Amino acid sequence: MTDLTGKVALVTGASRGIGAATAVRLAEAGADVAVGCGRNREAAGEVAGKISGLGRRAVVVSGDMADPDVPRRIVAETAERLGPADVLVANAGTGIRMDLDDVDVAAWDYDLAVNLRAPFLLAQAVAPHMREQRFGRIVLLSSVAAFLGGILSPQYTASKAGLIGLAHNLAAALAPHGVTVNAISPGLIATDMLAADPRLEALEHSVPVGRLGQPAEVADLIVSVVQNAYMTAQTVSVDGGRYPR
Ligand SMILES: NC(=O)c1ccc[n+]([C@@H]2O[C@H](COP(=O)([O-])OP(=O)(O)OC[C@H]3O[C@@H](n4cnc5c(N)ncnc54)[C@H](OP(=O)(O)O)[C@@H]3O)[C@@H](O)[C@H]2O)c1
């Protein structure tokens, strides 16, 4: 297992949900963490406080992932304040329920910018240091929506499917340099993304194990992927048996 003591991890979208759980789990495994957020700096500050309480260094790095300048900027800010990122968890994601007929170009472009372009720009920005030091871990947060079609919108599903192809491409480019790239595809996880969905109860019943997943269950998987040096170019589902079934 790769020892994460003293490694620097950048986790985007870590103010809440899966990202917050992952940031804390990585710190428990020994990493110093840049806690990424969009609007909720205060919540991200609380996550950073928890990490400091574990004796690790933590900083908050914020910005709107829809802005193409933000990914490179937060990678640079992480490097300045903690040291260059050894681990990137590109987790920040957005998605609302939208029917086919209602999708316009702006809605399509927004989800693709936040969910797919930003993870690419983040990976591109962390790659030179990872290549140079011959160590790096990149984890992209996809979704079982990529396999099942999803419950939110066409653009959300397309962005999550795109991440799987992106992981394959980056993994091939970076494997010779000691950098692994994998995608995680959660199923229905109990976070704000689903909390307001009026279909929640029915959705919960549709999960073979009979309940929603917890953010910590996804975070545990992410940390074990980060600790594994031989696994790359994979997409791993954590979905209570939704796919395949
Ligand atoms: N929950 C699920 O069932 C599920 C299933 C499959 C995949 N996923 C994926 O897992 C990841 C985390 O999901 P979650 O359920 O934990 O989501 P969540 O609770 O809604 O949290 C989303 C996080 O992403 C950040 N974020 C959203 N839009 C952003 C933007 N434009 N710029 C910067 N940061 C932004 C938020 O930051 P602020 O709060 O600071 O704005 C927040 O920290 C997402 O990529 C999601 O698509 C979730």
Side-chain angles (χ1 to χ4, degrees):
M1 266 193 349
T2 304
D3 181 9
L4 298 183
T5 309
K7 301 274 190 228
V8 172
L10 166 58
V11 184
T12 64
S15 55
R16 54 198 161 97
I18 294 167
T22 302
V24 172
R25 283 285 199 270
L26 285 168
E28 285 168 351
D32 297 324
V33 186
V35 178
C37 70
R39 286 146 294 190
N40 288 311
R41 260 198 95 89
E42 201 180 319
E46 283 167 25
V47 175
K50 262 191 212 162
I51 291 169
S52 305
L54 293 166
R56 307 310 318 178
R57 295 182 301 150
V59 296
V60 173
V61 290
S62 65
D64 184 353
M65 289 293 162
D67 176 343
D69 295 329
V70 163
R72 187 165 290 280
R73 204 244 303 139
I74 67 164
V75 167
E77 206 180 317
T78 301
E80 269 162 37
R81 298 172 65 194
L82 289 180
D86 306 300
V87 175
L88 165 67
V89 182
N91 165 80
T94 187
I96 55 165
R97 192 174 171 191
M98 199 178 266
D99 291 332
L100 173 61
D101 292 341
D102 298 327
V103 179
D104 57 15
V105 169
W108 176 273
D109 285 350
Y110 183 74
D111 275 14
L112 271 286
V114 174
N115 294 354
L116 183 57
R117 184 178 67 192
F120 166 69
L121 293 172
L122 288 160
Q124 191 183 42
V126 297
H129 165 73
M130 291 182 177
R131 254 196 312 247
E132 198 182 316
Q133 69 170 3
R134 302 197 62 74
F135 176 87
R137 299 283 184 268
I138 297 174
V139 179
L140 308 175
L141 263 292
S142 178
S143 166
V144 285
F147 307 113
L148 291 170
I151 58 165
L152 291 177
S153 69
Q155 65 273 25
Y156 179 82
T157 295
S159 69
K160 294 298 174 181
L163 288 170
I164 294 171
L166 179 62
H168 290 157
N169 179 283
L170 295 175
L174 295 172
H177 305 281
V179 181
T180 69
V181 186
N182 293 289
I184 302 294
S185 55
L188 300 168
I189 310 299
T191 70
D192 292 353
M193 194 171 260
L194 286 185
D197 197 307
R199 301 163 297 174
L200 198 58
E201 210 179 311
L203 287 170
E204 193 162 359
H205 290 306
S206 76
V207 182
V209 303
R211 65 170 177 85
L212 301 180
Q214 291 302 313
E217 291 172 313
V218 183
D220 283 346
L221 175 63
I222 293 171
V223 173
S224 69
V225 166
V226 167
Q227 287 171 325
N228 193 311
Y230 199 59
M231 185 181 139
T232 194
Q234 299 303 305
T235 301
V236 190
S237 295
V238 51
D239 66 359
R242 289 190 84 223
Y243 179 82
R245 60 196 298 188

